[in-house]
């Protein structure tokens, strides 16, 4: 394959990945999942320490974990999600509000309909119906720097999956149920749940999968220095 074709191929796979939140039940072969994980593990990491740890669940194990998490969610037994600072600084807050508006509009959920929003949030914990769930953990003694590594691993994983027509959704929602997850998966004490990923063939017809989240133009987040003026 020539360089242009490779660039086009990468742009297509990267550019068509979406967070998919409704899946077909079609199972994934273990060999395919292992191949995707192997490709994910080519991610760079600071000093090559490779801090990612992955638990892959499917079938009855996935269903049992999902039951535990859905029960915990309904019981309101998690600490309030602390994924973002409160208050979220202005520019970020605008984008978060825009995300919420698009997401709930795609589902026909009124932003003030809290029970309906809760029902949708709950679907995180059954992996949005995906046949395979992944829990990504990291040694809690590591510094934020090493969390970058697991993000790179996750993006590699999602791209390796998408290249095979397999969809994903990265989900920090799992982090708030670390205690239940760690107990069920018998995680060593030093590990902390960073996020989960749902994986399977997306249901292209599902309304929730029609959403396209916009991006800022390059010039809004970049300063180009030292290039000839255009
Ligand atoms: C670290 C991380 C955590 C996320 N957590 C969740 C989550 O808990 N639940 C969810 O539905 N989507 C979650 N998402 C998906 C984002 O909402 C999504 O990536 C963003 O809106 C951009 O849309 P796109 O992935 O379709 O391009 C997460 C994404 C990332 C990168």
């Amino acid at each position: 394959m020539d360089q242009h074709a490779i660039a086009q191929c990468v742009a297509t796979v990267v550019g068509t990945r979406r967070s998919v939140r409704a899946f077909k039940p079609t199972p994934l072969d273990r060999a395919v999942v292992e191949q995707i994980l192997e490709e994910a593990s080519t991610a760079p990491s600071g000093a090559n320490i490779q801090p990612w740890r992955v638990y892959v669940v499917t079938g009855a194990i996935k269903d049992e974990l999902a039951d535990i998490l859905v029960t915990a969610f309904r019981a309101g037994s998690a600490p309030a999600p602390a994924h973002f600072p409160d208050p979220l600084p202005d520019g970020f807050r605008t984008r978060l509000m825009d995300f919420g508006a698009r997401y709930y509009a795609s589902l026909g959920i009124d932003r003030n309909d809290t029970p309906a929003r809760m029902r949708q949030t709950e679907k995180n914990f059954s992996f949005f119906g995906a046949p395979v769930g992944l829990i990504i953990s990291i040694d809690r003694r590591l510094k934020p720097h090493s969390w970058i590594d697991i993000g790179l691993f996750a993006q590699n994983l999602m791209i390796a999956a998408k290249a095979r027509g397999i969809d994903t959704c990265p989900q920090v929602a799992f982090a708030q149920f670390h205690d239940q997850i760690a107990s069920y998966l018998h995680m060593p004490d030093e590990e902390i749940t960073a996020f989960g990923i749902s994986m399977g063939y997306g249901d292209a017809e599902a309304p929730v999968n029609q959403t396209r989240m916009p991006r800022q133009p390059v010039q809004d987040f970049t300063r180009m220095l030292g290039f000839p003026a255009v």
Side-chain angles (χ1 to χ4, degrees), residues 15 18 20 36 82 109 192 213:
R18 302 267 181 275
V20 162
I36 290 169
I109 295 175
I192 181 98
M213 292 301 166

Side-chain angles (χ1 to χ4, degrees), residues 61-160:
I61 301 286
K62 186 208 68 174
D63 293 344
E64 197 171 16
L65 176 60
D67 281 351
I68 291 167
L69 300 180
V70 167
T71 302
F73 177 75
R74 287 187 186 163
S77 59
H83 315 142
F84 292 124
D86 185 13
L88 193 58
D90 273 351
F92 303 120
R93 191 176 148 70
T94 308
R95 288 202 283 279
L96 180 141
M97 299 296 282
D98 177 71
F99 163 78
R102 290 171 195 271
Y103 182 38
Y104 292 112
S106 75
L107 290 155
I109 295 175
D110 186 289
R111 64 183 308 119
N112 299 315
D113 186 348
T114 306
R117 289 173 59 158
M118 294 293 274
R119 282 196 295 279
Q120 180 60 26
T121 299
E122 184 180 299
K123 292 182 182 171
N124 272 282
F125 305 112
S126 48
F127 297 93
F128 294 116
V132 168
L134 300 101
I135 299 293
I136 317 293
S137 68
I138 186 168
D139 190 312
R140 65 176 83 232
R141 295 167 298 188
L142 293 173
K143 296 191 172 182
H145 182 84
S146 297
W147 287 64
I148 297 170
D149 303 341
I150 59 172
L152 296 170
F153 173 88
Q155 176 71 355
N156 256 8
L157 187 148
M158 294 188 288
I159 295 308

Side-chain angles (χ1 to χ4, degrees), residues 13 17-18 28 56 60 64 76 87 149 212 218 222:
V13 180
R17 182 214 54 82
R18 302 267 181 275
L28 298 182
V56 187
E64 197 171 16
D149 303 341
R212 296 288 171 269
V218 172
T222 311

